[in-house]
Amino acid sequence: MTRWKLILEWDGAPFMGWQRQDHGPSVQAAVERAASAMTGEAVTAHAAGRTDAGVHALGMAAHLDLARDLSPHRLREGLNALLRPDPVAVLHCEPVANDWHARFSCRGRRYLYRIANRRAPLTLDKGKAWRIGPALNLDAMREAASMLLGNHDFTTFRSVHCQSDSPVKTLDRLDVERVGEELHVHAAARSFLHHQVRSMVGCLALVGQGQWTPSDMRSALEARDRSALGFNAPPDGLYFVEALY
Amino acid sequence: MTRWKLILEWDGAPFMGWQRQDHGPSVQAAVERAASAMTGEAVTAHAAGRTDAGVHALGMAAHLDLARDLSPHRLREGLNALLRPDPVAVLHCEPVANDWHARFSCRGRRYLYRIANRRAPLTLDKGKAWRIGPALNLDAMREAASMLLGNHDFTTFRSVHCQSDSPVKTLDRLDVERVGEELHVHAAARSFLHHQVRSMVGCLALVGQGQWTPSDMRSALEARDRSALGFNAPPDGLYFVEALY
């Protein structure tokens, strides 16, 4: 038996998220189906993060175990051929130790959130970014973002469906940069609560539009109360970028 | 009557190209339909370039004449609302002189061609770039591109359907840069022959893969013969970037 680490890219639009669901397609089911079709084995895939419906991945790490002897090249090419036409691609694969675990061995996760700050509807980037028409105040968003850095109780930014043992997390990075007409929000932490990135970006957008001041962000954090939350940014703009081990 | 200049962005995937066609949807028909629905007038739209089926636009210039009195803001917002769900957006509009013509006044056209140089199938960029698996030789492509610069008879790179009076054109820019895993080909000229950019990129890809030497590109140009042509790159990777006036 070989444990394989996979690096996956996907377009989240047609999926209910990573995790297998009864009521719709998932990336996990697509990957397991391709690996089973290739080897004839029953396969379970595990990912570093579960991701919501509609959320994209540029470099999600996952693992699965296969008895059949394969080269990394053959596995990657075979999975990619069998994943068609699902918009999921294996960018890389390599054998890892049998106790390596995509989720439990993961020591850091990075996300990107793309905001298209323009009046016109999106065409080429439809479903790939969150469009906000009014001009956003980048400096105010940066100031608000800095208030969330570090170790905090992030209850305010937590989904009621969150399964984490504790609402206390350490946010290592949350910054905002302008890239052409877009704002890119970069977030990094050892782990995130369910909906945390989308909640934080939703509040940053309120700050950018002047509906919140940067200090409202601090008040929301300190409230440790879901009702203090602005709203969740839509999944379209969210990308799982990288898992660190 | 006011003549309006429009700057348009579109995803070319669902369209037969800019020009109105009997056998499928076109960007021209979508824009004319939206403008007619907004004003009740019969509208004809003209663009700086016609573009093939599947080719995208980041900033196509077009014009149309409207009797109804409108502000630029109102026209842009109204057209964008009526263009939905077609993936066409009006980025900008402004009134221009009545003898200004999107096609005949145009003094320069810029194109971008995106090549995704990677083994894995495209997911998020499916239909937005041309994927080539084997590693491309950037230096050889740059050397070959430089041989096409300047004033030449581009018959080799011309479609049999080309309606241009002459195959002689002046190519002002053709260069290749690496952007992450992509190669971007930038092309600029006062005007191009039908299929010229896709033909040149197809031949550059042959050079990049070592099937042609850079001097084969010169020989193909000097042959002034369609049968010397490598092949056309697919429309997916081609973007009309800008029209200059």
Side-chain angles (χ1 to χ4, degrees):
Chain A
M1 193 279 292
T2 302
R3 178 155 291 185
W4 290 95
K5 175 185 178 183
L6 310 178
I7 302 295
L8 302 170
E9 179 191 90
W10 70 73
D11 178 347
F15 297 110
M16 306 301 299
W18 163 262
Q19 197 164 29
R20 182 196 297 280
Q21 304 283 345
D22 291 333
H23 57 296
S26 66
V27 180
Q28 183 185 12
V31 171
E32 292 172 353
R33 192 165 51 235
S36 291
M38 190 171 173
T39 60
E41 303 170 39
V43 177
T44 302
H46 301 265
R50 278 177 292 185
T51 78
D52 295 329
V55 173
H56 313 294
L58 297 173
M60 176 63 83
H63 81 261
L64 45 76
D65 297 331
L66 297 175
R68 183 161 158 201
D69 193 31
L70 292 160
S71 71
H73 174 80
R74 182 112 181 266
L75 178 60
R76 188 191 63 197
E77 298 291 306
L79 290 177
N80 281 332
L82 290 159
L83 280 163
R84 283 188 192 131
D86 285 324
V88 181
V90 180
L91 301 182
H92 174 80
C93 59
E94 65 181 89
V96 288
N98 282 359
D99 63 350
W100 188 91
H101 195 289
R103 182 172 168 202
F104 299 121
S105 305
C106 182
R107 299 172 61 84
R109 292 159 172 94
R110 284 209 302 126
Y111 284 94
L112 162 68
Y113 197 99
R114 290 175 56 191
I115 297 172
N117 192 197
R118 64 183 231 175
R119 295 290 313 176
L122 299 179
T123 67
L124 289 152
D125 285 321
K126 195 173 158 143
K128 308 293 196 302
W130 178 24
R131 186 182 69 84
I132 299 179
L136 294 169
N137 181 334
L138 180 61
D139 289 339
M141 291 172 75
R142 284 178 164 157
E143 187 183 343
S146 70
M147 291 174 180
L148 300 182
L149 288 177
N151 183 260
H152 302 285
D153 178 333
F154 283 99
T155 296
T156 302
F157 303 95
R158 181 184 197 180
S159 157
V160 291
H161 302 293
C162 183
Q163 291 170 25
S164 180
D165 291 337
S166 161
V168 176
K169 296 286 178 188
T170 301
L171 185 61
D172 297 318
R173 182 182 181 195
L174 186 68
D175 48 49
V176 192
E177 63 166 345
R178 187 177 296 279
V179 180
E181 69 181 8
E182 295 193 3
L183 295 187
H184 288 186
V185 181
H186 301 276
R190 183 177 178 95
S191 63
F192 290 92
L193 299 169
H194 187 211
H195 280 177
Q196 186 182 343
V197 179
R198 288 170 57 192
S199 299
M200 294 189 302
V201 171
C203 294
L204 286 175
L206 291 176
V207 173
Q209 293 173 89
Q211 297 173 255
W212 277 22
T213 64
S215 66
D216 288 334
M217 183 70 98
R218 190 196 302 275
S219 305
L221 175 67
E222 290 173 353
R224 289 174 208 144
D225 177 1
R226 284 283 302 164
S227 63
L229 179 68
F231 62 96
N232 283 351
D236 312 45
L238 186 58
Y239 296 74
F240 186 99
V241 175
E242 188 183 17
L244 303 172
Y245 294 93
Chain B
M1 194 280 292
T2 303
R3 178 156 291 187
W4 290 95
K5 175 184 179 183
L6 310 179
I7 301 296
L8 301 170
E9 178 191 271
W10 69 74
D11 178 348
F15 297 110
M16 306 301 300
W18 163 262
Q19 198 165 28
R20 182 196 299 280
Q21 304 284 345
D22 290 335
H23 57 295
S26 67
V27 180
Q28 183 185 11
V31 170
E32 291 173 352
R33 193 166 50 237
S36 291
M38 191 172 172
T39 61
E41 302 171 37
V43 177
T44 302
H46 301 264
R50 277 177 292 184
T51 76
D52 294 328
V55 173
H56 313 295
L58 298 173
M60 176 64 82
H63 80 262
L64 44 77
D65 296 332
L66 297 175
R68 185 162 154 200
D69 192 31
L70 291 161
S71 71
H73 173 81
R74 182 108 182 267
L75 178 59
R76 187 191 63 197
E77 298 290 306
L79 290 176
N80 281 331
L82 290 159
L83 280 163
R84 281 185 195 132
D86 285 325
V88 181
V90 180
L91 302 182
H92 175 80
C93 59
E94 64 180 272
V96 287
N98 282 359
D99 62 352
W100 187 92
H101 195 287
R103 182 171 169 203
F104 299 121
S105 306
C106 183
R107 299 172 62 84
R109 291 158 173 95
R110 282 210 303 128
Y111 283 94
L112 162 69
Y113 196 98
R114 289 175 58 192
I115 297 172
N117 193 198
R118 66 183 227 174
R119 296 288 316 174
L122 299 179
T123 67
L124 288 152
D125 285 322
K126 198 175 157 147
K128 308 291 197 300
W130 179 24
R131 186 182 69 84
I132 299 180
L136 295 169
N137 182 335
L138 179 61
D139 290 338
M141 292 172 75
R142 284 178 165 157
E143 188 184 342
S146 71
M147 291 175 180
L148 299 181
L149 288 177
N151 185 260
H152 302 286
D153 178 334
F154 282 98
T155 296
T156 303
F157 303 95
R158 180 185 196 178
S159 157
V160 293
H161 301 294
C162 184
Q163 293 170 24
S164 181
D165 291 337
S166 160
V168 177
K169 296 286 178 189
T170 300
L171 185 62
D172 298 318
R173 182 182 180 194
L174 186 68
D175 48 49
V176 192
E177 62 166 347
R178 189 177 293 280
V179 179
E181 68 180 10
E182 296 192 3
L183 296 187
H184 288 185
V185 182
H186 301 276
R190 183 180 177 96
S191 64
F192 290 92
L193 300 169
H194 189 209
H195 281 177
Q196 186 182 344
V197 179
R198 289 170 56 192
S199 300
M200 295 189 302
V201 172
C203 295
L204 287 176
L206 291 176
V207 173
Q209 292 173 88
Q211 297 172 254
W212 276 21
T213 63
S215 65
D216 288 335
M217 184 70 100
R218 189 196 303 275
S219 304
L221 175 68
E222 289 173 353
R224 290 172 209 148
D225 177 0
R226 283 284 301 164
S227 63
L229 179 66
F231 61 98
N232 283 350
D236 312 47
L238 186 58
Y239 297 74
F240 187 100
V241 175
E242 189 183 18
L244 303 171
Y245 294 94

